[in-house]
Amino acid sequence: MINTKILFRSLILLLFFVAKTNAQEVLTLEDAVKIALENNYEIKIASNNLLINKTNVTTGNAGMLPKATATIVDNNAIQNLSQTRTDGTVNTLNNAKSNSLNYGVGLDWTIFDGFKMFAKLEQLKELQKLSEAQLKLTIITKISDVHAAYFDLVQQQQQLVALDSTIVISNQRLTLAQNRFSIGKASKLEVLNAQVDLNTDRVTVLRQKELYANTKILLNQILARDAKTNFIVVDSIIVDSQLLLPELTALAEKQNPQLESQIINKRVSELQLKQIKATRYPTVKVNSGYNFAESQSSLGFTTQSSARGLNYGFSASLNLFDGFAQNRNEKIAKIQIENSKMIIDQQTLSLNSALATSYQTYLTNLELIALEEKNAAIAKQNLNITLDKFRIGTITTLEFRTAQLNYVNAKVRYSNAQFQAKLSEIALKELAGSLSF
């Protein structure tokens, strides 16, 4: 077993790491998701697009309400006039002034358009649902990115701990080599090899710290906050091993946002066809208004007049022939509906294929977790035995280094297996539309 000195150094390293940890923010996955929902720009843009479509869902926008218009027209003129009456009398006036003033309120209301306005209102509601599905897709995609980046940090943090522990062992090896060299039981070559391996481990740790820091920046970017915000993540990855393909498939058919969007698009196309067919019916409008009119003229039989009163009526129109545009538009709309059906079938097939592929990867990764966990335990036991033998000088430094690297690699593979399994779980839940946020 590892001697007391090594345990003491490992404890000091652990306490240092804990102290450093306490000085930083511990960012949980739930907190990261909450920050992303509040800050991420793509989610904000999608939310605003939904707000636009919600605002558009009104009876007025569908054409169901009347339109009232207030008008005022004031015309003035200065002219040189000449008038010849029937009796031959000629009247002339230079710089004659005249003006007319008309103002009033008019009402125009389409009371029947072949039910086009009702189809339009339903279409606006479907477009709102489409924006809701697109917002859900944006949220799920971004939350999936948060999950992936977060657990990438977790596995890198685990690997840093493993690498830090191997540096402790490499330091112990160098100390042992120096002590053995000082009493003549080892050559200078053994000391140099130990120093080279220690430096190699330090380089590996530096590279790992660089990758860890860059992944932190990436997660901060997804969370739309300062890239320099410092934090740490939890130290474990828990994989949901109870996912079942039939349940995931059933969920995906109900709530996958991409499939949901295609179903809504088909409904929008059907409502578009209804609006086009509505033009085969007559359009009936009623109108009314109350107007005031005043006029003045410097020359003429009537120098001043005024009028006020109510006017009302109705109009009807029917398209009799438009160059076969009606038939052409209906045919195009029907083809668009057919295309929507095929896109839904295509999306369903693609979704089921992606689920089946991801699920197989998920099962494989679960098996790899169990295997790599056993390998890590065996590698640790082997390292302990090898270190004891190295202390008493019964094995070579090469054998010791091999055991040490095997232990580090086993820990890294185990951490990576957990991470890959977690990515598979995230992918499956994203496809099923059940990723929690």
Side-chain angles (χ1 to χ4, degrees):
M1 299 297 292
I2 299 176
N3 63 20
T4 305
K5 192 173 182 181
I6 295 179
L7 289 175
F8 179 74
R9 290 190 178 183
S10 298
L11 181 60
I12 293 297
L13 178 64
L14 179 61
L15 291 174
F16 174 77
F17 181 77
V18 170
K20 187 176 181 182
T21 295
N22 291 334
Q24 302 178 43
E25 170 198 0
V26 178
L27 181 69
T28 65
L29 179 61
E30 291 76 13
D31 290 338
V33 170
K34 181 180 179 182
I35 294 171
L37 290 174
E38 293 174 351
N39 295 349
N40 185 268
Y41 293 111
E42 293 181 41
I43 293 176
K44 286 183 177 180
I45 292 172
S47 298
N48 284 339
N49 289 336
L50 173 58
L51 183 59
I52 290 172
N53 282 288
K54 279 184 178 180
T55 306
N56 279 330
V57 182
T58 62
T59 53
N61 195 25
M64 292 183 174
L65 300 181
K67 295 180 180 179
T69 306
T71 60
I72 180 169
V73 179
D74 184 15
N75 290 318
N76 298 275
I78 299 176
Q79 298 173 316
N80 295 328
L81 298 177
S82 177
Q83 295 180 346
T84 302
R85 299 181 178 178
T86 56
D87 60 0
T89 303
V90 178
N91 292 330
T92 60
L93 179 63
N94 292 330
N95 297 322
K97 296 181 179 179
S98 64
N99 63 75
S100 65
L101 176 64
N102 293 275
Y103 55 95
V105 177
L107 181 71
D108 185 74
W109 191 3
T110 300
I111 59 174
F112 181 75
D113 61 354
F115 307 105
K116 178 180 179 180
M117 62 182 73
F118 297 99
K120 177 66 174 178
L121 181 60
E122 288 301 313
Q123 188 181 57
L124 291 172
K125 292 178 180 179
E126 292 300 320
L127 290 174
Q128 177 184 333
K129 293 179 182 178
L130 181 60
S131 289
E132 290 172 352
Q134 291 171 343
L135 173 60
K136 181 181 176 182
L137 175 60
T138 302
I139 290 175
I140 288 179
T141 300
K142 286 299 136 188
I143 298 310
S144 176
D145 293 341
V146 171
H147 279 69
Y150 186 89
F151 287 109
D152 191 9
L153 279 175
V154 174
Q155 69 131 352
Q156 290 181 34
Q157 191 167 272
Q158 291 174 342
Q159 292 178 15
L160 273 175
V161 173
L163 291 172
D164 284 338
S165 67
T166 199
I167 285 183
V168 172
I169 297 172
S170 293
N171 272 317
Q172 176 65 15
R173 174 191 165 193
L174 177 59
T175 301
L176 289 174
Q178 289 172 337
N179 291 338
R180 292 171 63 182
F181 174 72
S182 64
I183 61 176
K185 288 188 176 182
S187 66
K188 183 66 175 179
L189 181 60
E190 182 177 328
V191 177
L192 294 176
N193 285 334
Q195 184 66 62
V196 169
D197 290 339
L198 174 60
N199 290 339
T200 301
D201 292 340
R202 287 172 175 169
V203 169
T204 303
V205 169
L206 286 175
R207 291 298 185 190
Q208 183 61 38
K209 286 182 177 179
E210 177 189 13
L211 181 60
Y212 181 65
N214 288 337
T215 308
K216 270 189 178 182
I217 294 173
L218 174 62
L219 181 55
N220 280 328
Q221 179 184 349
I222 297 174
L223 301 183
R225 63 180 189 174
D226 188 353
K228 296 180 181 178
T229 302
N230 200 9
F231 63 94
I232 61 168
V233 293
V234 298
D235 58 357
S236 61
I237 299 177
I238 300 175
V239 180
D240 184 355
S241 59
Q242 305 301 318
L243 299 181
L244 299 175
L245 183 58
E247 294 179 0
L248 292 169
T249 302
L251 285 174
E253 291 175 354
K254 292 180 181 178
Q255 57 191 32
N256 178 271
Q258 290 176 305
L259 182 59
E260 185 181 356
S261 295
Q262 298 305 332
I263 294 173
I264 295 173
N265 279 327
K266 175 177 174 291
R267 178 62 178 159
V268 170
S269 297
E270 291 170 345
L271 291 169
Q272 185 64 32
L273 176 60
K274 281 189 176 183
Q275 293 179 64
I276 294 173
K277 286 184 175 181
T279 57
R280 289 186 177 274
Y281 296 88
T283 300
V284 181
K285 298 181 179 181
V286 294
N287 57 77
S288 179
Y290 197 89
N291 296 310
F292 299 82
E294 296 180 2
S295 63
Q296 294 180 350
S297 176
S298 299
L299 184 66
F301 291 103
T302 303
T303 59
Q304 183 175 0
S305 67
S306 63
R308 66 185 63 188
L310 176 70
N311 62 75
Y312 54 90
F314 78 95
S315 65
S317 62
L318 177 63
N319 178 27
L320 298 177
F321 181 74
D322 59 359
F324 305 107
Q326 179 69 30
N327 292 336
R328 183 177 65 252
N329 291 336
E330 288 184 12
K331 286 180 180 179
I332 292 174
K334 290 177 181 178
I335 293 172
Q336 290 174 336
I337 293 174
E338 188 65 26
N339 283 343
S340 298
K341 293 178 181 178
M342 289 188 287
I343 291 174
I344 291 174
D345 293 339
Q346 181 187 37
Q347 185 67 39
T348 302
L349 178 62
S350 176
L351 180 59
N352 289 334
S353 298
L355 278 170
T357 302
S358 298
Y359 192 75
Q360 184 56 54
T361 303
Y362 165 76
L363 293 178
T364 302
N365 286 329
L366 289 181
E367 294 181 8
L368 287 174
I369 287 177
L371 181 60
E372 294 297 352
E373 185 178 15
K374 291 179 181 178
N375 285 339
I378 293 171
K380 182 179 181 181
Q381 184 180 6
N382 181 60
L383 177 62
N384 290 335
I385 295 173
T386 303
L387 183 58
D388 288 338
K389 290 184 176 181
F390 180 73
R391 287 180 58 250
I392 61 178
T394 59
I395 62 172
T396 64
T397 56
L398 180 60
E399 291 175 310
F400 175 78
R401 181 61 176 175
T402 300
Q404 184 184 11
L405 292 178
N406 285 341
Y407 169 71
V408 174
N409 291 335
K411 292 286 288 184
V412 169
R413 287 198 309 270
Y414 176 49
S415 176
N416 187 61
Q418 290 179 305
F419 174 58
Q420 293 301 324
K422 193 64 180 179
L423 288 183
S424 299
E425 175 198 330
I426 294 168
L428 286 170
K429 290 182 177 180
E430 181 180 359
L431 289 170
S434 60
L435 193 61
S436 176
F437 57 85

